[in-house]
Amino acid sequence: MHGITALADVRSSPYSQYNPQFNRESLKAALRCQGIQYVFLGEELGARSEDPKCYKDGKVQFDRLAQTELFREGLERVATGSEQYKISLMCAEKDPIECHRTILVSRSLKESGFSVIHILADGKTEAHEDLESRLIAMFKMNNHDLFLSADEILKKAYTKQGEAIAYTMKTEEEDADSRKRAQG
């Protein structure tokens, strides 16, 4: 499928409450049967950092996360792995524009010179540049602004989407409420 030989799981937590076939162990076994390697990179490239410096008012800041040593190490692992494998990054969201793998990871890979192609839910592909155009259109931004360069417009669109999708820490009360609801 698309010639993928390795899958890098960039979910912060490699488990699914609703789709257990996507739990790390099940997924790894299924991929192995298809001759595809699995690596978990959620610690390095996940959207829920353990570093308190990556948060502002309890919300992760992708620009800060992208500057951490751990994130840079994750990108380096992808770069090194790409010399031997054709790698797909996996997360949980269906549309890549709704996921940190696009707004944070793919953006950083593109800035490092990588060609990024997104595999959509229907199996079709979308070039990262086309996704960026879709991102700009999503916020009804004009790519030809009198006062902003095309790069500044794109940066603004990334920032807006990052704010919209960024992980927000739960307060202790919210966490307790969630546990109560889960218990019944």
Side-chain angles (χ1 to χ4, degrees):
M1 208 194 276
H2 297 288
I4 303 301
T5 58
L7 183 132
D9 188 346
V10 298
R11 298 175 292 173
S12 294
S13 177
Y15 299 97
S16 173
Q17 180 179 357
Y18 303 106
N19 297 295
Q21 69 273 23
F22 292 116
N23 289 345
R24 179 180 8 198
E25 295 77 14
S26 302
L27 182 59
K28 187 175 182 177
L31 290 169
R32 189 178 319 114
C33 290
Q34 298 299 315
I36 298 172
Q37 299 294 313
Y38 171 92
V39 63
F40 175 67
L41 292 178
E43 288 181 36
E44 297 91 339
L45 300 178
R48 297 181 184 193
S49 177
E50 299 289 322
D51 185 346
K53 293 179 201 150
C54 292
Y55 290 84
K56 179 181 175 189
D57 300 326
K59 186 178 243 185
V60 75
Q61 304 296 298
F62 288 152
D63 59 336
R64 294 180 188 179
L65 184 54
Q67 298 305 313
T68 66
E69 184 64 31
L70 191 58
F71 183 81
R72 293 283 164 208
E73 288 171 11
L75 290 180
E76 185 58 36
R77 286 187 68 190
V78 171
T80 301
S82 72
E83 295 170 8
Q84 185 176 353
Y85 299 97
K86 186 170 183 182
I87 301 172
S88 177
L89 303 180
M90 179 208 156
C91 201
E93 287 74 18
K94 185 185 282 188
D95 183 350
I97 210 166
E98 298 291 330
C99 186
H100 85 283
R101 76 178 175 271
T102 292
I103 305 304
L104 174 65
V105 184
S106 295
R107 178 184 184 187
S108 295
L109 287 170
K110 180 187 171 221
E111 289 171 357
S112 296
F114 282 86
S115 174
V116 177
I117 298 171
H118 301 278
I119 302 171
L120 305 177
D122 63 4
K124 293 179 183 172
T125 60
E126 178 178 34
H128 190 72
E129 293 75 13
D130 293 336
L131 186 139
E132 288 178 331
S133 294
R134 193 161 55 100
L135 181 64
I136 290 168
M138 186 171 98
F139 289 108
K140 297 176 178 34
M141 298 174 139
N142 185 341
N143 211 3
H144 305 289
D145 187 286
L146 184 60
F147 301 105
L148 298 174
S149 70
D151 285 343
E152 291 169 321
I153 292 166
L154 180 58
K155 182 178 180 181
K156 198 172 177 181
Y158 269 118
T159 299
K160 283 184 171 209
Q161 185 63 354
E163 279 294 313
I165 67 170
Y167 170 72
T168 303
M169 286 188 200
K170 292 180 181 176
T171 65
E172 289 181 28
E173 293 165 0
E174 291 170 325
D175 211 21
D177 288 344
S178 292
R179 282 195 302 272
K180 274 185 186 177
R181 281 193 298 272
Q183 291 173 350

